[in-house]
Amino acid sequence: MSSGASSETELSSETVTYVEKACAYITRNGSELLVFEGPEHDGLQVPKGTIEAGEEPRAAVLREIAEESGLGAVGEVKHLTTDVWTRRRSPPKRYVRHFFHAPVHEPRDEWTHTVTGEGSENGLEFDFSWVELPAHSEFALALDDYTQLLA
């Protein structure tokens, strides 16, 4: 038996947890992506979060944008893609990630926002700035997987 078959058998004996996430690629002038460096993860991040029970992904991404960045007005929100990303192998936890693009007219080049909402990040401060597209830095949680779809 190959090691791949053994791993598959081990995975199938554990219950896999799936968590739906809404992820926002917020762009300015079509050439810059909004990012922050947040606590608990090394690397750049974009506004994102867990979709609440009964909430549609598009509504969740708008809520997450407001809670994590403080931005209240964004342009037309467009769904880019959905994937399944393995957060951890044991016990198995996977994120069903819904990526959206939202253009914004924002004059600030950088700002600090205190996170609002009911989640565990409530009260944390995120320092926002813009990176030029295409983004060449590696993002935390593989959140840069689809930045090429912004071109």
Side-chain angles (χ1 to χ4, degrees):
M1 179 179 281
S2 73
S3 62
S6 174
S7 296
E8 197 62 39
T9 303
E10 290 170 17
L11 275 179
S12 64
S13 66
E14 296 184 75
T15 302
V16 179
T17 301
Y18 289 91
V19 179
E20 282 200 276
K21 298 284 185 176
C23 308
Y25 287 151
I26 301 170
T27 59
R28 176 173 79 169
N29 302 325
S31 64
E32 298 171 298
L33 177 66
L34 184 67
V35 296
F36 69 93
E37 292 220 29
E40 302 174 10
H41 301 292
D42 291 331
L44 299 176
Q45 297 185 59
V46 297
K48 52 54 188 106
T50 302
I51 298 173
E52 298 174 357
E55 189 176 34
E56 292 295 320
R58 184 176 306 276
V61 80
L62 290 170
R63 177 180 52 77
E64 290 295 341
I65 289 170
E67 288 178 0
E68 291 196 355
S69 73
L71 295 173
V74 296
E76 182 182 348
V77 176
K78 178 183 172 189
H79 180 257
L80 295 174
T81 192
T82 297
D83 73 1
V84 177
W85 182 75
T86 299
R87 175 70 171 109
R88 72 172 176 247
R89 298 207 182 277
S90 185
K93 183 175 187 178
R94 298 198 175 102
Y95 289 165
V96 178
R97 306 183 306 174
H98 304 273
F99 285 85
F100 291 88
H101 174 227
V104 67
H105 297 286
E106 175 56 53
R108 296 175 291 179
D109 288 328
E110 55 187 47
W111 68 92
T112 299
H113 177 72
T114 303
V115 178
T116 61
E118 303 295 320
S120 62
E121 294 176 335
N122 185 30
L124 296 178
E125 289 187 343
F126 291 167
D127 295 320
F128 284 90
S129 61
W130 302 93
V131 295
E132 289 290 326
L133 288 171
H136 296 292
S137 302
E138 188 171 316
F139 287 28
L141 306 170
L143 289 166
D144 57 322
D145 280 356
Y146 303 104
T147 58
Q148 76 278 4
L149 297 178
L150 298 171

